[in-house]
Amino acid sequence: MEAPVAERLKRAGCAVYVSKWPICRLPVILTLGLLLTTCATDPRGTSIPSVLDPRGPEANSIALLWWVMLVLGAIVLAIVGGILIYIAARGRGPARNSSEGLIDEDSGQRWIWLGGVILPLILLPIAFGFNLSSLATISNPSQAAVTIEVTGHRWWWEVRYPEEDVVTANEIHIPVGQPVQLQLASADVIHSFWVPQLHGKIDMVPGEVNSLRLQADDAGEYRGICAEFCGAQHARMQFILVASTPEDFEAWLASQRQPAPEPESEVIRRGQQVFLGSACVYCHTIRGTNASGEVGPDLTHLGNRRTLAAGTLPNTRGNLAGWILGPQHIKPGNLMPPTHLPSEDLIPLLEYLDTLD
Ligand code: CUA
């Protein structure tokens, strides 16, 4: 940078800009860091959700609106920032005492008309037009292929397919390329349903049912999160939305409609007895058995799910054992009490839960 300009900027109060201290680089590093987070993949295998990686018509429309607002905001920032720097540089420079200063009364009026009236009259209708177009897209009234009821609990997701008599948890399966209707409710406090790559977020309010229609154009697994602070384990209230071909989706529905299989060996029968003889039955349902509790997730097809405790842990036998013995160590404050089982009960129980596929 040329010394006189640097000197003028410094005198105009732009010391940060010309400083040699790393603080100048901080905004650049933060911005790059934020952009790079969209490239990551988390241990569950799903990509880190980003609204800038849209995979459906509603999300495309929201992402387009985001970019339009960013460009319009950048234009305004460039104009206002450019004028400020120009004034600062000129006002402090050789023309400082000249009678031809930048801001005389006439040009002051011109700037007010330009910046206060003409610029907003050009930019705001553009933003408004894109907003209307985005609203029309996300309130698409076309016929939904399937209706899914999702209820937020502290801190997990109950998922029901009312027309199919299917209940599951923390995982939502949909057919790819078809609109699906979500009916969103809450069993306790306000949660917020958000799959950033597929749609905007929408609150789940106790006593209300909110609707959301979304569509995934690409098959795959999408991460969903609770986007409203709902207590200590809000960050561990996640789900996976699986978009698969209509044939695979129908096959998944058919398997989920089945009750749990009957135990086929002595160990598994023993495991089932442990489950049915413990406090598990007061909170969990396993269809095909006497367990019909409704406080916690339905476990009929537990083995089919990718994660435990709403995205907290990968669904492995070791994690399941840890979760049964010490759920309060893993997710403090959740409603599941520890189950103190000797290993001669725990191992058959794990064998039995393994068969719930
Ligand atoms: Cu539920 Cu945050």
Side-chain angles (χ1 to χ4, degrees), residues 124-161:
L124 290 182
I126 297 176
F128 185 59
F130 273 96
N131 261 300
L132 286 183
S133 144
S134 191
L135 273 177
T137 307
I138 63 176
S139 42
N140 171 12
S142 57
Q143 184 66 35
V146 57
T147 298
I148 307 167
E149 294 172 356
V150 183
T151 305
H153 296 256
R154 281 186 299 175
W155 294 276
W156 61 282
W157 309 82
E158 179 185 341
V159 181
R160 288 177 180 271
Y161 295 72

PDB file of all heavy atoms in Angstrom, residues 124-161:
ATOM      1  N   LEU A 124     -35.186  -2.997  -3.005  1.00  0.00           N
ATOM      2  CA  LEU A 124     -36.221  -3.654  -2.188  1.00  0.00           C
ATOM      3  C   LEU A 124     -37.262  -4.400  -3.030  1.00  0.00           C
ATOM      4  O   LEU A 124     -37.635  -5.525  -2.666  1.00  0.00           O
ATOM      5  CB  LEU A 124     -36.876  -2.645  -1.244  1.00  0.00           C
ATOM      6  CG  LEU A 124     -35.958  -2.151  -0.116  1.00  0.00           C
ATOM      7  CD1 LEU A 124     -36.684  -1.184   0.810  1.00  0.00           C
ATOM      8  CD2 LEU A 124     -35.390  -3.305   0.691  1.00  0.00           C
ATOM      9  N   PRO A 125     -37.750  -3.821  -4.182  1.00  0.00           N
ATOM     10  CA  PRO A 125     -38.694  -4.622  -4.989  1.00  0.00           C
ATOM     11  C   PRO A 125     -38.067  -5.911  -5.510  1.00  0.00           C
ATOM     12  O   PRO A 125     -38.757  -6.924  -5.628  1.00  0.00           O
ATOM     13  CB  PRO A 125     -39.055  -3.682  -6.150  1.00  0.00           C
ATOM     14  CG  PRO A 125     -38.821  -2.324  -5.608  1.00  0.00           C
ATOM     15  CD  PRO A 125     -37.621  -2.449  -4.691  1.00  0.00           C
ATOM     16  N   ILE A 126     -36.746  -5.881  -5.819  1.00  0.00           N
ATOM     17  CA  ILE A 126     -36.102  -7.118  -6.283  1.00  0.00           C
ATOM     18  C   ILE A 126     -36.150  -8.162  -5.167  1.00  0.00           C
ATOM     19  O   ILE A 126     -36.553  -9.314  -5.367  1.00  0.00           O
ATOM     20  CB  ILE A 126     -34.631  -6.849  -6.694  1.00  0.00           C
ATOM     21  CG1 ILE A 126     -34.592  -5.880  -7.873  1.00  0.00           C
ATOM     22  CG2 ILE A 126     -33.922  -8.157  -7.047  1.00  0.00           C
ATOM     23  CD1 ILE A 126     -33.183  -5.469  -8.284  1.00  0.00           C
ATOM     24  N   ALA A 127     -35.784  -7.740  -3.946  1.00  0.00           N
ATOM     25  CA  ALA A 127     -35.804  -8.665  -2.806  1.00  0.00           C
ATOM     26  C   ALA A 127     -37.227  -9.158  -2.550  1.00  0.00           C
ATOM     27  O   ALA A 127     -37.448 -10.356  -2.303  1.00  0.00           O
ATOM     28  CB  ALA A 127     -35.247  -7.972  -1.564  1.00  0.00           C
ATOM     29  N   PHE A 128     -38.204  -8.252  -2.647  1.00  0.00           N
ATOM     30  CA  PHE A 128     -39.600  -8.615  -2.396  1.00  0.00           C
ATOM     31  C   PHE A 128     -40.081  -9.645  -3.432  1.00  0.00           C
ATOM     32  O   PHE A 128     -40.744 -10.629  -3.086  1.00  0.00           O
ATOM     33  CB  PHE A 128     -40.463  -7.349  -2.449  1.00  0.00           C
ATOM     34  CG  PHE A 128     -41.903  -7.579  -2.078  1.00  0.00           C
ATOM     35  CD1 PHE A 128     -42.246  -8.080  -0.834  1.00  0.00           C
ATOM     36  CD2 PHE A 128     -42.914  -7.306  -2.984  1.00  0.00           C
ATOM     37  CE1 PHE A 128     -43.567  -8.297  -0.488  1.00  0.00           C
ATOM     38  CE2 PHE A 128     -44.246  -7.516  -2.656  1.00  0.00           C
ATOM     39  CZ  PHE A 128     -44.568  -8.016  -1.409  1.00  0.00           C
ATOM     40  N   GLY A 129     -39.707  -9.432  -4.704  1.00  0.00           N
ATOM     41  CA  GLY A 129     -40.092 -10.353  -5.775  1.00  0.00           C
ATOM     42  C   GLY A 129     -39.551 -11.752  -5.524  1.00  0.00           C
ATOM     43  O   GLY A 129     -40.272 -12.743  -5.647  1.00  0.00           O
ATOM     44  N   PHE A 130     -38.279 -11.827  -5.150  1.00  0.00           N
ATOM     45  CA  PHE A 130     -37.684 -13.145  -4.875  1.00  0.00           C
ATOM     46  C   PHE A 130     -38.335 -13.787  -3.652  1.00  0.00           C
ATOM     47  O   PHE A 130     -38.527 -14.999  -3.609  1.00  0.00           O
ATOM     48  CB  PHE A 130     -36.175 -13.013  -4.683  1.00  0.00           C
ATOM     49  CG  PHE A 130     -35.421 -13.101  -5.975  1.00  0.00           C
ATOM     50  CD1 PHE A 130     -35.037 -11.962  -6.648  1.00  0.00           C
ATOM     51  CD2 PHE A 130     -35.129 -14.329  -6.537  1.00  0.00           C
ATOM     52  CE1 PHE A 130     -34.354 -12.035  -7.854  1.00  0.00           C
ATOM     53  CE2 PHE A 130     -34.454 -14.423  -7.743  1.00  0.00           C
ATOM     54  CZ  PHE A 130     -34.067 -13.261  -8.406  1.00  0.00           C
ATOM     55  N   ASN A 131     -38.666 -12.964  -2.647  1.00  0.00           N
ATOM     56  CA  ASN A 131     -39.354 -13.493  -1.456  1.00  0.00           C
ATOM     57  C   ASN A 131     -40.688 -14.118  -1.836  1.00  0.00           C
ATOM     58  O   ASN A 131     -41.023 -15.206  -1.381  1.00  0.00           O
ATOM     59  CB  ASN A 131     -39.605 -12.360  -0.457  1.00  0.00           C
ATOM     60  CG  ASN A 131     -38.563 -12.341   0.636  1.00  0.00           C
ATOM     61  OD1 ASN A 131     -38.429 -13.308   1.359  1.00  0.00           O
ATOM     62  ND2 ASN A 131     -37.815 -11.266   0.728  1.00  0.00           N
ATOM     63  N   LEU A 132     -41.474 -13.401  -2.690  1.00  0.00           N
ATOM     64  CA  LEU A 132     -42.786 -13.915  -3.101  1.00  0.00           C
ATOM     65  C   LEU A 132     -42.627 -15.225  -3.866  1.00  0.00           C
ATOM     66  O   LEU A 132     -43.366 -16.186  -3.641  1.00  0.00           O
ATOM     67  CB  LEU A 132     -43.511 -12.886  -3.975  1.00  0.00           C
ATOM     68  CG  LEU A 132     -44.082 -11.663  -3.262  1.00  0.00           C
ATOM     69  CD1 LEU A 132     -44.830 -10.783  -4.247  1.00  0.00           C
ATOM     70  CD2 LEU A 132     -45.024 -12.083  -2.127  1.00  0.00           C
ATOM     71  N   SER A 133     -41.635 -15.249  -4.768  1.00  0.00           N
ATOM     72  CA  SER A 133     -41.424 -16.456  -5.570  1.00  0.00           C
ATOM     73  C   SER A 133     -41.032 -17.635  -4.673  1.00  0.00           C
ATOM     74  O   SER A 133     -41.505 -18.765  -4.837  1.00  0.00           O
ATOM     75  CB  SER A 133     -40.361 -16.142  -6.623  1.00  0.00           C
ATOM     76  OG  SER A 133     -39.552 -17.238  -6.849  1.00  0.00           O
ATOM     77  N   SER A 134     -40.188 -17.348  -3.669  1.00  0.00           N
ATOM     78  CA  SER A 134     -39.765 -18.390  -2.742  1.00  0.00           C
ATOM     79  C   SER A 134     -40.959 -18.894  -1.914  1.00  0.00           C
ATOM     80  O   SER A 134     -41.127 -20.102  -1.719  1.00  0.00           O
ATOM     81  CB  SER A 134     -38.684 -17.811  -1.832  1.00  0.00           C
ATOM     82  OG  SER A 134     -38.087 -18.815  -1.102  1.00  0.00           O
ATOM     83  N   LEU A 135     -41.805 -17.952  -1.472  1.00  0.00           N
ATOM     84  CA  LEU A 135     -42.992 -18.340  -0.691  1.00  0.00           C
ATOM     85  C   LEU A 135     -43.903 -19.250  -1.507  1.00  0.00           C
ATOM     86  O   LEU A 135     -44.438 -20.234  -0.995  1.00  0.00           O
ATOM     87  CB  LEU A 135     -43.770 -17.086  -0.281  1.00  0.00           C
ATOM     88  CG  LEU A 135     -43.333 -16.400   1.008  1.00  0.00           C
ATOM     89  CD1 LEU A 135     -44.148 -15.143   1.232  1.00  0.00           C
ATOM     90  CD2 LEU A 135     -43.504 -17.353   2.189  1.00  0.00           C
ATOM     91  N   ALA A 136     -44.076 -18.893  -2.813  1.00  0.00           N
ATOM     92  CA  ALA A 136     -44.950 -19.707  -3.671  1.00  0.00           C
ATOM     93  C   ALA A 136     -44.393 -21.119  -3.793  1.00  0.00           C
ATOM     94  O   ALA A 136     -45.137 -22.101  -3.765  1.00  0.00           O
ATOM     95  CB  ALA A 136     -45.070 -19.052  -5.049  1.00  0.00           C
ATOM     96  N   THR A 137     -43.059 -21.241  -3.917  1.00  0.00           N
ATOM     97  CA  THR A 137     -42.455 -22.570  -4.065  1.00  0.00           C
ATOM     98  C   THR A 137     -42.612 -23.397  -2.792  1.00  0.00           C
ATOM     99  O   THR A 137     -42.977 -24.566  -2.844  1.00  0.00           O
ATOM    100  CB  THR A 137     -40.954 -22.445  -4.401  1.00  0.00           C
ATOM    101  OG1 THR A 137     -40.820 -21.595  -5.524  1.00  0.00           O
ATOM    102  CG2 THR A 137     -40.346 -23.805  -4.701  1.00  0.00           C
ATOM    103  N   ILE A 138     -42.348 -22.782  -1.624  1.00  0.00           N
ATOM    104  CA  ILE A 138     -42.356 -23.600  -0.405  1.00  0.00           C
ATOM    105  C   ILE A 138     -43.768 -23.884   0.106  1.00  0.00           C
ATOM    106  O   ILE A 138     -43.950 -24.730   0.960  1.00  0.00           O
ATOM    107  CB  ILE A 138     -41.489 -22.984   0.730  1.00  0.00           C
ATOM    108  CG1 ILE A 138     -42.026 -21.630   1.164  1.00  0.00           C
ATOM    109  CG2 ILE A 138     -40.046 -22.883   0.331  1.00  0.00           C
ATOM    110  CD1 ILE A 138     -41.259 -21.039   2.322  1.00  0.00           C
ATOM    111  N   SER A 139     -44.793 -23.179  -0.467  1.00  0.00           N
ATOM    112  CA  SER A 139     -46.160 -23.553  -0.067  1.00  0.00           C
ATOM    113  C   SER A 139     -46.831 -24.340  -1.189  1.00  0.00           C
ATOM    114  O   SER A 139     -48.030 -24.239  -1.397  1.00  0.00           O
ATOM    115  CB  SER A 139     -46.966 -22.316   0.317  1.00  0.00           C
ATOM    116  OG  SER A 139     -46.716 -21.274  -0.568  1.00  0.00           O
ATOM    117  N   ASN A 140     -46.047 -25.121  -1.900  1.00  0.00           N
ATOM    118  CA  ASN A 140     -46.516 -25.976  -2.985  1.00  0.00           C
ATOM    119  C   ASN A 140     -47.669 -26.885  -2.510  1.00  0.00           C
ATOM    120  O   ASN A 140     -47.482 -27.704  -1.622  1.00  0.00           O
ATOM    121  CB  ASN A 140     -45.312 -26.815  -3.445  1.00  0.00           C
ATOM    122  CG  ASN A 140     -45.690 -27.897  -4.423  1.00  0.00           C
ATOM    123  OD1 ASN A 140     -46.800 -27.910  -4.940  1.00  0.00           O
ATOM    124  ND2 ASN A 140     -44.765 -28.801  -4.665  1.00  0.00           N
ATOM    125  N   PRO A 141     -48.879 -26.739  -3.118  1.00  0.00           N
ATOM    126  CA  PRO A 141     -50.030 -27.521  -2.625  1.00  0.00           C
ATOM    127  C   PRO A 141     -50.198 -28.870  -3.326  1.00  0.00           C
ATOM    128  O   PRO A 141     -51.237 -29.498  -3.152  1.00  0.00           O
ATOM    129  CB  PRO A 141     -51.203 -26.593  -2.950  1.00  0.00           C
ATOM    130  CG  PRO A 141     -50.762 -25.874  -4.191  1.00  0.00           C
ATOM    131  CD  PRO A 141     -49.250 -25.833  -4.203  1.00  0.00           C
ATOM    132  N   SER A 142     -49.202 -29.340  -4.108  1.00  0.00           N
ATOM    133  CA  SER A 142     -49.406 -30.586  -4.854  1.00  0.00           C
ATOM    134  C   SER A 142     -49.617 -31.766  -3.885  1.00  0.00           C
ATOM    135  O   SER A 142     -49.183 -31.732  -2.738  1.00  0.00           O
ATOM    136  CB  SER A 142     -48.208 -30.863  -5.770  1.00  0.00           C
ATOM    137  OG  SER A 142     -47.037 -30.915  -5.004  1.00  0.00           O
ATOM    138  N   GLN A 143     -50.250 -32.793  -4.417  1.00  0.00           N
ATOM    139  CA  GLN A 143     -50.633 -33.960  -3.609  1.00  0.00           C
ATOM    140  C   GLN A 143     -49.392 -34.644  -3.016  1.00  0.00           C
ATOM    141  O   GLN A 143     -48.448 -34.958  -3.735  1.00  0.00           O
ATOM    142  CB  GLN A 143     -51.396 -34.936  -4.530  1.00  0.00           C
ATOM    143  CG  GLN A 143     -51.947 -36.160  -3.842  1.00  0.00           C
ATOM    144  CD  GLN A 143     -53.048 -35.817  -2.842  1.00  0.00           C
ATOM    145  OE1 GLN A 143     -53.824 -34.903  -3.065  1.00  0.00           O
ATOM    146  NE2 GLN A 143     -53.088 -36.544  -1.738  1.00  0.00           N
ATOM    147  N   ALA A 144     -49.414 -34.874  -1.699  1.00  0.00           N
ATOM    148  CA  ALA A 144     -48.262 -35.528  -1.066  1.00  0.00           C
ATOM    149  C   ALA A 144     -48.361 -37.042  -1.224  1.00  0.00           C
ATOM    150  O   ALA A 144     -49.456 -37.611  -1.181  1.00  0.00           O
ATOM    151  CB  ALA A 144     -48.210 -35.166   0.407  1.00  0.00           C
ATOM    152  N   ALA A 145     -47.206 -37.690  -1.417  1.00  0.00           N
ATOM    153  CA  ALA A 145     -47.185 -39.147  -1.595  1.00  0.00           C
ATOM    154  C   ALA A 145     -47.444 -39.859  -0.275  1.00  0.00           C
ATOM    155  O   ALA A 145     -47.991 -40.952  -0.247  1.00  0.00           O
ATOM    156  CB  ALA A 145     -45.832 -39.571  -2.160  1.00  0.00           C
ATOM    157  N   VAL A 146     -47.028 -39.250   0.824  1.00  0.00           N
ATOM    158  CA  VAL A 146     -47.175 -39.912   2.119  1.00  0.00           C
ATOM    159  C   VAL A 146     -47.276 -38.846   3.211  1.00  0.00           C
ATOM    160  O   VAL A 146     -46.729 -37.747   3.066  1.00  0.00           O
ATOM    161  CB  VAL A 146     -45.984 -40.884   2.375  1.00  0.00           C
ATOM    162  CG1 VAL A 146     -44.652 -40.171   2.310  1.00  0.00           C
ATOM    163  CG2 VAL A 146     -46.107 -41.608   3.695  1.00  0.00           C
ATOM    164  N   THR A 147     -48.031 -39.152   4.251  1.00  0.00           N
ATOM    165  CA  THR A 147     -48.140 -38.240   5.396  1.00  0.00           C
ATOM    166  C   THR A 147     -47.393 -38.859   6.572  1.00  0.00           C
ATOM    167  O   THR A 147     -47.530 -40.050   6.849  1.00  0.00           O
ATOM    168  CB  THR A 147     -49.624 -38.032   5.773  1.00  0.00           C
ATOM    169  OG1 THR A 147     -50.284 -37.435   4.660  1.00  0.00           O
ATOM    170  CG2 THR A 147     -49.766 -37.125   6.988  1.00  0.00           C
ATOM    171  N   ILE A 148     -46.591 -38.041   7.240  1.00  0.00           N
ATOM    172  CA  ILE A 148     -45.793 -38.530   8.369  1.00  0.00           C
ATOM    173  C   ILE A 148     -46.025 -37.602   9.559  1.00  0.00           C
ATOM    174  O   ILE A 148     -45.943 -36.381   9.423  1.00  0.00           O
ATOM    175  CB  ILE A 148     -44.287 -38.544   8.006  1.00  0.00           C
ATOM    176  CG1 ILE A 148     -44.065 -39.322   6.701  1.00  0.00           C
ATOM    177  CG2 ILE A 148     -43.466 -39.148   9.136  1.00  0.00           C
ATOM    178  CD1 ILE A 148     -42.686 -39.138   6.109  1.00  0.00           C
ATOM    179  N   GLU A 149     -46.341 -38.207  10.704  1.00  0.00           N
ATOM    180  CA  GLU A 149     -46.508 -37.406  11.922  1.00  0.00           C
ATOM    181  C   GLU A 149     -45.232 -37.478  12.745  1.00  0.00           C
ATOM    182  O   GLU A 149     -44.766 -38.562  13.081  1.00  0.00           O
ATOM    183  CB  GLU A 149     -47.670 -37.958  12.754  1.00  0.00           C
ATOM    184  CG  GLU A 149     -49.015 -37.812  12.057  1.00  0.00           C
ATOM    185  CD  GLU A 149     -50.146 -38.539  12.792  1.00  0.00           C
ATOM    186  OE1 GLU A 149     -49.866 -39.224  13.807  1.00  0.00           O
ATOM    187  OE2 GLU A 149     -51.281 -38.428  12.333  1.00  0.00           O
ATOM    188  N   VAL A 150     -44.670 -36.327  13.032  1.00  0.00           N
ATOM    189  CA  VAL A 150     -43.438 -36.283  13.815  1.00  0.00           C
ATOM    190  C   VAL A 150     -43.722 -35.507  15.098  1.00  0.00           C
ATOM    191  O   VAL A 150     -44.245 -34.391  15.049  1.00  0.00           O
ATOM    192  CB  VAL A 150     -42.288 -35.608  13.035  1.00  0.00           C
ATOM    193  CG1 VAL A 150     -41.003 -35.635  13.852  1.00  0.00           C
ATOM    194  CG2 VAL A 150     -42.069 -36.287  11.698  1.00  0.00           C
ATOM    195  N   THR A 151     -43.417 -36.118  16.246  1.00  0.00           N
ATOM    196  CA  THR A 151     -43.630 -35.458  17.534  1.00  0.00           C
ATOM    197  C   THR A 151     -42.289 -35.281  18.235  1.00  0.00           C
ATOM    198  O   THR A 151     -41.527 -36.240  18.378  1.00  0.00           O
ATOM    199  CB  THR A 151     -44.576 -36.299  18.419  1.00  0.00           C
ATOM    200  OG1 THR A 151     -45.783 -36.533  17.695  1.00  0.00           O
ATOM    201  CG2 THR A 151     -44.912 -35.563  19.716  1.00  0.00           C
ATOM    202  N   GLY A 152     -42.005 -34.065  18.646  1.00  0.00           N
ATOM    203  CA  GLY A 152     -40.772 -33.782  19.371  1.00  0.00           C
ATOM    204  C   GLY A 152     -40.937 -34.091  20.848  1.00  0.00           C
ATOM    205  O   GLY A 152     -41.946 -33.732  21.465  1.00  0.00           O
ATOM    206  N   HIS A 153     -39.993 -34.829  21.412  1.00  0.00           N
ATOM    207  CA  HIS A 153     -39.945 -35.101  22.854  1.00  0.00           C
ATOM    208  C   HIS A 153     -38.579 -34.615  23.333  1.00  0.00           C
ATOM    209  O   HIS A 153     -37.618 -34.594  22.555  1.00  0.00           O
ATOM    210  CB  HIS A 153     -40.028 -36.604  23.146  1.00  0.00           C
ATOM    211  CG  HIS A 153     -41.316 -37.257  22.737  1.00  0.00           C
ATOM    212  ND1 HIS A 153     -42.294 -37.597  23.641  1.00  0.00           N
ATOM    213  CD2 HIS A 153     -41.778 -37.656  21.529  1.00  0.00           C
ATOM    214  CE1 HIS A 153     -43.305 -38.190  22.998  1.00  0.00           C
ATOM    215  NE2 HIS A 153     -43.018 -38.232  21.710  1.00  0.00           N
ATOM    216  N   ARG A 154     -38.464 -34.308  24.636  1.00  0.00           N
ATOM    217  CA  ARG A 154     -37.123 -34.050  25.168  1.00  0.00           C
ATOM    218  C   ARG A 154     -36.432 -35.388  25.409  1.00  0.00           C
ATOM    219  O   ARG A 154     -36.819 -36.089  26.351  1.00  0.00           O
ATOM    220  CB  ARG A 154     -37.193 -33.246  26.467  1.00  0.00           C
ATOM    221  CG  ARG A 154     -37.423 -31.760  26.208  1.00  0.00           C
ATOM    222  CD  ARG A 154     -37.346 -30.941  27.428  1.00  0.00           C
ATOM    223  NE  ARG A 154     -38.364 -31.334  28.380  1.00  0.00           N
ATOM    224  CZ  ARG A 154     -38.446 -30.818  29.617  1.00  0.00           C
ATOM    225  NH1 ARG A 154     -37.589 -29.926  30.021  1.00  0.00           N
ATOM    226  NH2 ARG A 154     -39.392 -31.210  30.423  1.00  0.00           N
ATOM    227  N   TRP A 155     -35.416 -35.852  24.650  1.00  0.00           N
ATOM    228  CA  TRP A 155     -34.863 -35.220  23.481  1.00  0.00           C
ATOM    229  C   TRP A 155     -34.752 -36.264  22.398  1.00  0.00           C
ATOM    230  O   TRP A 155     -33.687 -36.804  22.146  1.00  0.00           O
ATOM    231  CB  TRP A 155     -33.498 -34.626  23.809  1.00  0.00           C
ATOM    232  CG  TRP A 155     -33.587 -33.497  24.793  1.00  0.00           C
ATOM    233  CD1 TRP A 155     -33.872 -32.176  24.487  1.00  0.00           C
ATOM    234  CD2 TRP A 155     -33.416 -33.523  26.204  1.00  0.00           C
ATOM    235  NE1 TRP A 155     -33.879 -31.396  25.640  1.00  0.00           N
ATOM    236  CE2 TRP A 155     -33.601 -32.216  26.708  1.00  0.00           C
ATOM    237  CE3 TRP A 155     -33.140 -34.543  27.133  1.00  0.00           C
ATOM    238  CZ2 TRP A 155     -33.510 -31.894  28.059  1.00  0.00           C
ATOM    239  CZ3 TRP A 155     -33.060 -34.220  28.473  1.00  0.00           C
ATOM    240  CH2 TRP A 155     -33.242 -32.904  28.921  1.00  0.00           C
ATOM    241  N   TRP A 156     -35.872 -36.547  21.777  1.00  0.00           N
ATOM    242  CA  TRP A 156     -35.906 -37.522  20.674  1.00  0.00           C
ATOM    243  C   TRP A 156     -37.137 -37.254  19.819  1.00  0.00           C
ATOM    244  O   TRP A 156     -37.964 -36.399  20.156  1.00  0.00           O
ATOM    245  CB  TRP A 156     -35.900 -38.964  21.223  1.00  0.00           C
ATOM    246  CG  TRP A 156     -37.074 -39.324  22.093  1.00  0.00           C
ATOM    247  CD1 TRP A 156     -37.257 -38.970  23.396  1.00  0.00           C
ATOM    248  CD2 TRP A 156     -38.245 -40.066  21.718  1.00  0.00           C
ATOM    249  NE1 TRP A 156     -38.454 -39.456  23.864  1.00  0.00           N
ATOM    250  CE2 TRP A 156     -39.077 -40.133  22.850  1.00  0.00           C
ATOM    251  CE3 TRP A 156     -38.661 -40.685  20.541  1.00  0.00           C
ATOM    252  CZ2 TRP A 156     -40.311 -40.794  22.838  1.00  0.00           C
ATOM    253  CZ3 TRP A 156     -39.888 -41.353  20.537  1.00  0.00           C
ATOM    254  CH2 TRP A 156     -40.698 -41.398  21.677  1.00  0.00           C
ATOM    255  N   TRP A 157     -37.218 -37.970  18.709  1.00  0.00           N
ATOM    256  CA  TRP A 157     -38.278 -37.724  17.727  1.00  0.00           C
ATOM    257  C   TRP A 157     -39.125 -38.983  17.549  1.00  0.00           C
ATOM    258  O   TRP A 157     -38.598 -40.048  17.221  1.00  0.00           O
ATOM    259  CB  TRP A 157     -37.672 -37.350  16.367  1.00  0.00           C
ATOM    260  CG  TRP A 157     -36.661 -36.257  16.437  1.00  0.00           C
ATOM    261  CD1 TRP A 157     -35.340 -36.393  16.783  1.00  0.00           C
ATOM    262  CD2 TRP A 157     -36.856 -34.875  16.170  1.00  0.00           C
ATOM    263  NE1 TRP A 157     -34.725 -35.168  16.740  1.00  0.00           N
ATOM    264  CE2 TRP A 157     -35.623 -34.221  16.374  1.00  0.00           C
ATOM    265  CE3 TRP A 157     -37.958 -34.111  15.774  1.00  0.00           C
ATOM    266  CZ2 TRP A 157     -35.450 -32.858  16.190  1.00  0.00           C
ATOM    267  CZ3 TRP A 157     -37.788 -32.753  15.592  1.00  0.00           C
ATOM    268  CH2 TRP A 157     -36.555 -32.129  15.809  1.00  0.00           C
ATOM    269  N   GLU A 158     -40.431 -38.844  17.755  1.00  0.00           N
ATOM    270  CA  GLU A 158     -41.352 -39.958  17.505  1.00  0.00           C
ATOM    271  C   GLU A 158     -41.874 -39.793  16.073  1.00  0.00           C
ATOM    272  O   GLU A 158     -42.302 -38.700  15.699  1.00  0.00           O
ATOM    273  CB  GLU A 158     -42.502 -39.862  18.513  1.00  0.00           C
ATOM    274  CG  GLU A 158     -43.553 -40.925  18.385  1.00  0.00           C
ATOM    275  CD  GLU A 158     -44.720 -40.664  19.350  1.00  0.00           C
ATOM    276  OE1 GLU A 158     -44.547 -39.895  20.325  1.00  0.00           O
ATOM    277  OE2 GLU A 158     -45.799 -41.201  19.093  1.00  0.00           O
ATOM    278  N   VAL A 159     -41.830 -40.871  15.306  1.00  0.00           N
ATOM    279  CA  VAL A 159     -42.189 -40.778  13.883  1.00  0.00           C
ATOM    280  C   VAL A 159     -43.281 -41.801  13.582  1.00  0.00           C
ATOM    281  O   VAL A 159     -43.077 -43.002  13.792  1.00  0.00           O
ATOM    282  CB  VAL A 159     -40.946 -41.042  13.006  1.00  0.00           C
ATOM    283  CG1 VAL A 159     -41.299 -40.928  11.528  1.00  0.00           C
ATOM    284  CG2 VAL A 159     -39.816 -40.080  13.365  1.00  0.00           C
ATOM    285  N   ARG A 160     -44.431 -41.315  13.102  1.00  0.00           N
ATOM    286  CA  ARG A 160     -45.555 -42.211  12.803  1.00  0.00           C
ATOM    287  C   ARG A 160     -45.999 -42.050  11.360  1.00  0.00           C
ATOM    288  O   ARG A 160     -46.056 -40.933  10.848  1.00  0.00           O
ATOM    289  CB  ARG A 160     -46.762 -41.867  13.696  1.00  0.00           C
ATOM    290  CG  ARG A 160     -46.580 -42.270  15.128  1.00  0.00           C
ATOM    291  CD  ARG A 160     -47.750 -41.864  16.013  1.00  0.00           C
ATOM    292  NE  ARG A 160     -47.481 -42.294  17.371  1.00  0.00           N
ATOM    293  CZ  ARG A 160     -47.810 -43.494  17.856  1.00  0.00           C
ATOM    294  NH1 ARG A 160     -48.476 -44.346  17.109  1.00  0.00           N
ATOM    295  NH2 ARG A 160     -47.475 -43.823  19.090  1.00  0.00           N
ATOM    296  N   TYR A 161     -46.340 -43.184  10.741  1.00  0.00           N
ATOM    297  CA  TYR A 161     -46.932 -43.190   9.398  1.00  0.00           C
ATOM    298  C   TYR A 161     -48.374 -43.633   9.602  1.00  0.00           C
ATOM    299  O   TYR A 161     -48.655 -44.840   9.588  1.00  0.00           O
ATOM    300  CB  TYR A 161     -46.168 -44.152   8.474  1.00  0.00           C
ATOM    301  CG  TYR A 161     -44.741 -43.713   8.207  1.00  0.00           C
ATOM    302  CD1 TYR A 161     -43.768 -43.789   9.190  1.00  0.00           C
ATOM    303  CD2 TYR A 161     -44.378 -43.191   6.974  1.00  0.00           C
ATOM    304  CE1 TYR A 161     -42.467 -43.366   8.959  1.00  0.00           C
ATOM    305  CE2 TYR A 161     -43.084 -42.771   6.723  1.00  0.00           C
ATOM    306  CZ  TYR A 161     -42.138 -42.859   7.720  1.00  0.00           C
ATOM    307  OH  TYR A 161     -40.855 -42.438   7.486  1.00  0.00           O
TER     308      TYR A 161
END
